Amino acid sequence: MSRTKKYSVLTYNIGKYELFYDLSPNVMNDEIEYIYVTDDHSIMSDTWNIVYEDNLVGDVFDKVYQIKFNPFKYIHTDVVLTIDARIEILKDVMPMFEMFDKYGYDAAVVPHFLFGDINSEYDNWVNNRNYPIEEKEKCINFIKSLGYDLNYKGLYEGGISIKRNNSFCKSWCAMTYGFLKFLATPPSTIERNDQVICSVVLNKYFNDKNIMPISPYIYARHDADDTYFKLHIRGDYGYCFALSEYPLYLFNKLIIFS
């Protein structure tokens, strides 16, 4: 892989958990490398650079998080946009990278569509995603043991983020993965609600960093010219796209997108 690229896009699909969405040539940029990490050797592409990963240990979520929270193992640039495999790229993402660099951000996150606090997110998982209430209680108790204020406003989508190859982002990722492993309930090898723990670590330990908020409107459920991504969701989660009525927060502060 040439090191002449300026930015990277990284996605990951383990155990055929998600469908494969190929990358249309008309959304690609010559300054961006596009890396797709998978253990499925039937996946081939003329646009994604496919990296076959067969050496990870753990359940599917654990393997995915070993990639997601160690992105610089797989790329060749100092800035990476990580996206979940269920997210399809609809247009050139270079403007996102250009804004990120223009203002010298350390990382970028998407404020959660619906919830500004972690309690509401856990309740949503219990009510809609067959998440055991015992898991919620265990995670909440752990978060409280860190001295975290459960009323703190700041919950960030796990599907998309931008990270810079610096000590902050590496520490943020390592702490998140370590906490997720600690919270695992056998036979699972990792706690699967990563976006709560990732948000808690960012809010608690790194709230002095220069973080770029990304508007949730970059997602689209149906193709649209003014959105960057299409989010493919299993089941009926259409309510996630009623965005305009919900306040968005970063580091306990209300964020207004123009």
Side-chain angles (χ1 to χ4, degrees):
M1 170 63 67
S2 169
R3 293 179 179 271
T4 60
K5 305 293 186 181
K6 190 172 182 180
Y7 305 107
S8 299
V9 174
L10 174 70
T11 192
Y12 25 80
N13 189 1
I14 297 296
K16 299 183 180 180
Y17 189 79
E18 302 289 354
L19 297 175
F20 172 67
Y21 300 104
D22 211 349
L23 191 63
S24 173
N26 63 8
V27 307
M28 299 180 69
N29 191 293
D30 289 340
E31 292 190 86
I32 302 173
E33 66 171 2
Y34 301 87
I35 307 295
Y36 195 107
V37 183
T38 184
D39 59 352
D40 182 357
H41 287 251
S42 71
I43 292 180
M44 293 179 285
S45 174
D46 292 328
T47 49
W48 287 107
N49 178 29
I50 306 296
V51 176
Y52 299 115
E53 174 61 272
D54 301 310
N55 298 313
L56 303 176
V57 177
D59 61 30
V60 168
F61 285 99
D62 197 344
K63 291 178 179 179
V64 166
Y65 295 161
Q66 288 174 56
I67 302 166
K68 183 176 183 176
F69 295 112
N70 191 17
F72 297 102
K73 173 183 176 181
Y74 299 95
I75 68 167
H76 306 87
T77 67
D78 286 331
V79 177
V80 60
L81 167 66
T82 59
I83 62 172
D84 285 355
R86 63 179 179 166
I87 297 171
E88 181 182 1
I89 300 175
L90 300 181
K91 63 189 294 187
D92 183 5
V93 297
M94 180 57 78
M96 297 174 64
F97 285 124
E98 290 175 337
M99 179 172 289
F100 184 80
D101 265 349
K102 179 179 178 180
Y103 295 100
Y105 288 108
D106 295 306
V109 297
V110 180
H112 197 280
F113 297 146
L114 297 178
F115 310 121
D117 65 283
I118 63 174
N119 264 319
S120 298
E121 169 69 348
Y122 277 126
D123 287 342
N124 177 54
W125 273 54
V126 169
N127 295 330
N128 296 295
R129 302 186 66 173
N130 297 317
Y131 188 74
I133 194 168
E134 296 81 8
E135 291 294 310
K136 170 196 169 181
E137 292 172 350
K138 179 176 69 173
C139 291
I140 288 290
N141 287 334
F142 172 74
I143 291 167
K144 288 168 62 176
S145 76
L146 301 176
Y148 189 83
D149 181 0
L150 298 181
N151 295 313
Y152 191 97
K153 300 293 186 181
L155 177 68
Y156 316 115
E157 286 289 328
I160 292 178
S161 69
I162 301 176
K163 294 183 176 70
R164 196 178 295 280
N165 189 1
N166 56 26
S167 59
F168 148 58
C169 285
K170 290 179 179 178
S171 296
W172 177 24
C173 286
M175 290 178 68
T176 298
Y177 181 76
F179 286 167
L180 291 171
K181 289 292 287 183
F182 177 78
L183 289 167
T185 298
S188 298
T189 63
I190 201 161
E191 160 61 27
R192 62 190 177 102
N193 190 333
D194 66 311
Q195 65 186 12
V196 167
I197 300 303
C198 194
S199 299
V200 166
V201 172
L202 182 63
N203 291 335
K204 173 68 176 177
Y205 300 103
F206 301 108
N207 57 28
D208 60 335
K209 299 303 179 183
N210 189 19
I211 306 298
M212 180 175 87
I214 303 174
S215 169
Y217 285 98
I218 61 170
Y219 287 105
R221 192 163 194 180
H222 303 287
D223 293 342
D225 291 337
D226 59 345
T227 53
Y228 283 92
F229 306 102
K230 181 177 182 179
L231 179 60
H232 297 268
I233 299 182
R234 301 179 182 188
D236 184 13
Y237 291 97
Y239 61 82
C240 289
F241 297 88
L243 303 176
S244 59
E245 297 179 3
Y246 299 95
L248 304 169
Y249 295 91
L250 174 67
F251 292 153
N252 217 28
K253 296 178 181 178
L254 186 66
I255 299 294
I256 304 296
F257 292 99
S258 58

